[in-house]
Amino acid sequence: MEDYNLQTLGEFTIEKQNDFKYTSGELSRLLSAIKLASKMVNREVNKAGIANITGHAGKTNIQGEDQQKLDILAHNIFIEALSQREVVCGIASEESDDFIEIQPSKNGHLSKYIVLIDPLDGSSNIDVNVSVGTIFSIYRRISPPGSPVKIQDFLQKGICQVAAGYVVYGSSTMLVYTTGHGVNGFTLDPSLGTYYLSHPNITFPKTGKIYSINEGNYIKFPQGVKDYIKHCQKEEEDRPYTSRYIGSLVSDFHRNMIKGGIYIYPSTSQSPNGKLRLLYECNPMAFLAEQAGGKCSDGEKRIMEITPSALHQRVPFFCGSYSMVKKAEQFIREAQRQIL
Ligand code: AHM
Ligand code: MG
């Protein structure tokens, strides 16, 4: 018999709901809906190779990116799970141009929470059996309860997040989340369909030896980023660092948080705001990183203090071990000074 003295995710969220004043258990129910949807997505991802659900869906999303069949499947699974259980009043997803308003059923209760989600991040990795993930970010609405949700409910700064997390569909499936009281990770036992607390109180090592960036874009990077990469590669003290880039933000972030490292998706000469989306990729990762003792910025400012202006807004992204992000910022400042 294996050792199953571990706490389940369900037990953990209920125990921790008292961290919130005046709790109604609504957030626990919302996390439970995310947990259920993630198991359903996990099932689809696991059988992707045999179920004719890999490949392009033949459509593009609002950002002009090819949608994979599994992107759409994962989007639908999360929307259904969240709306049927009436645990949110609005959802914004990478795969949907506009936010989705959730109407309560006849005697239903209208939740005060909204969710922003990337249902299947890194989905270009699906066809080649490489890890993908789901990223979510939860806020309290700011418009009055009972009224229709508004765009302003979604365009809140990252510092207003109530909870955030990700699921990594990797060699094992893990759900990692924070409610602002540290970061905890749960591993799915697929035979029981239950997540168990396997990584309590995860902390980012203060420094690390891994840098993760798509170096194929090197010539398009700003000078400060080029200089930082050269710093990572220099033979000195604990360097050169190791380069590791999966091309799945969730997996790259997860590895770096466990081992120590930095993930960078900078601006490029073609994309001045980089590639990653502020609201459902960068802010939730920033909340997790900071809660784990790491650091996250756009190269200059804290990610979570940026005032969003659009649902699918992009932002340059530097995230990881505290001293590594600080060092990268230093190189950027120095390069800017040289220009002036
Ligand atoms: P996606 O949301 O369309 O999957 O794009 C986000 C992904 C991240 O997971 C990953 O880190 C990055 O895009 C990789 O981009 P690139 O192929 O340009 O390096
Ligand atoms: Mg994504």
Side-chain angles (χ1 to χ4, degrees):
M1 176 89 183
E2 287 160 75
D3 180 9
Y4 275 112
N5 266 336
L6 298 174
Q7 200 173 23
T8 68
L9 173 56
E11 289 164 348
F12 184 88
T13 39
I14 288 172
E15 187 184 301
K16 297 290 173 193
Q17 75 188 20
N18 296 328
D19 285 347
F20 294 91
K21 272 191 211 155
Y22 319 117
T23 179
S24 61
E26 217 175 275
L27 183 62
S28 303
R29 286 198 294 281
L30 169 46
L31 289 168
S32 170
I34 290 176
K35 176 178 76 178
L36 173 67
S38 76
K39 289 182 200 172
M40 293 164 81
V41 170
N42 183 57
R43 189 180 58 191
E44 301 305 323
V45 168
N46 282 176
K47 65 179 186 199
I50 47 173
N52 190 27
I53 46 176
T54 56
H56 293 194
K59 295 185 194 158
T60 52
N61 63 17
I62 192 169
Q63 296 136 80
E65 296 159 342
D66 283 337
Q67 285 179 312
Q68 307 286 317
K69 290 181 196 164
L70 267 171
D71 278 327
I72 298 173
L73 202 59
H75 167 86
N76 290 341
I77 288 172
F78 273 98
I79 303 299
E80 290 251 310
L82 292 168
S83 50
Q84 277 181 12
R85 292 189 159 202
E86 302 185 345
V87 287
V88 287
C89 57
I91 308 169
S93 160
E94 175 174 336
E95 305 308 331
S96 175
D97 303 1
D98 230 328
F99 64 84
I100 300 163
E101 192 182 340
I102 308 296
Q103 303 288 354
S105 60
K106 209 153 161 249
N107 296 314
H109 162 76
L110 193 61
S111 165
K112 57 179 171 291
Y113 291 111
I114 62 122
V115 169
L116 295 117
I117 191 158
D118 183 352
L120 205 63
D121 185 65
S123 52
S124 60
N125 284 317
I126 275 281
D127 291 2
V128 290
N129 215 347
V130 170
S131 302
V132 287
T134 295
I135 311 172
F136 60 91
S137 169
I138 301 173
Y139 293 83
R140 265 183 219 97
R141 66 183 300 174
I142 49 177
S143 59
S147 64
V149 274
K150 296 198 169 66
I151 184 71
Q152 283 72 25
D153 293 318
F154 297 89
L155 301 183
Q156 298 188 55
K157 287 184 185 177
I159 46 172
C160 302
Q161 288 173 103
V162 174
Y166 60 78
V167 184
V168 54
Y169 309 98
S171 48
S172 63
T173 296
M174 275 190 77
L175 190 152
V176 176
Y177 83 104
T178 182
T179 54
H181 300 271
V183 177
N184 291 282
F186 301 79
T187 302
L188 181 67
D189 178 329
S191 62
L192 297 172
T194 307
Y195 282 105
Y196 288 95
L197 178 61
S198 52
H199 295 63
N201 283 319
I202 306 177
T203 52
F204 242 113
K206 279 275 162 274
T207 190
K209 291 177 123 269
I210 297 172
Y211 72 103
S212 313
I213 186 166
N214 185 344
E215 259 177 281
N217 294 329
Y218 185 85
I219 53 167
K220 300 184 218 157
F221 289 156
Q223 191 55 45
V225 174
K226 289 181 179 167
D227 295 343
Y228 180 68
I229 292 175
K230 288 293 158 232
H231 164 83
C232 294
Q233 295 170 340
K234 202 164 175 188
E235 210 150 328
E236 213 169 71
E237 292 169 16
D238 59 341
R239 285 171 283 141
Y241 296 155
T242 299
S243 164
R244 289 281 180 274
Y245 189 73
I246 298 169
S248 256
L249 170 64
V250 173
S251 314
D252 279 310
F253 176 95
H254 185 72
R255 182 205 49 241
N256 290 355
M257 182 163 66
I258 306 274
K259 294 195 162 180
I262 183 170
Y263 174 98
I264 304 177
Y265 209 111
S267 56
T268 64
S269 42
Q270 277 158 347
S271 313
N273 295 318
K275 176 182 184 188
L276 300 180
R277 273 55 55 119
L278 173 62
L279 290 174
Y280 44 80
E281 291 175 326
C282 303
N283 268 338
M285 290 314 202
F287 193 18
L288 288 158
E290 289 194 10
Q291 280 296 313
K295 186 170 166 63
C296 214
S297 81
D298 66 355
E300 291 168 44
K301 315 179 281 302
R302 190 178 172 207
I303 286 285
M304 289 205 288
E305 283 177 17
I306 297 173
T307 304
S309 53
L311 219 45
H312 300 285
Q313 173 176 351
R314 295 173 197 264
V315 71
F317 191 57
F318 297 68
C319 184
S321 289
Y322 194 91
S323 62
M324 296 177 90
V325 175
K326 224 173 151 54
K327 192 80 190 170
E329 287 175 340
Q330 236 174 42
F331 276 96
I332 286 164
R333 266 197 311 274
E334 188 52 37
Q336 272 163 357
R337 246 197 354 199
Q338 308 266 339
I339 299 170
L340 298 174

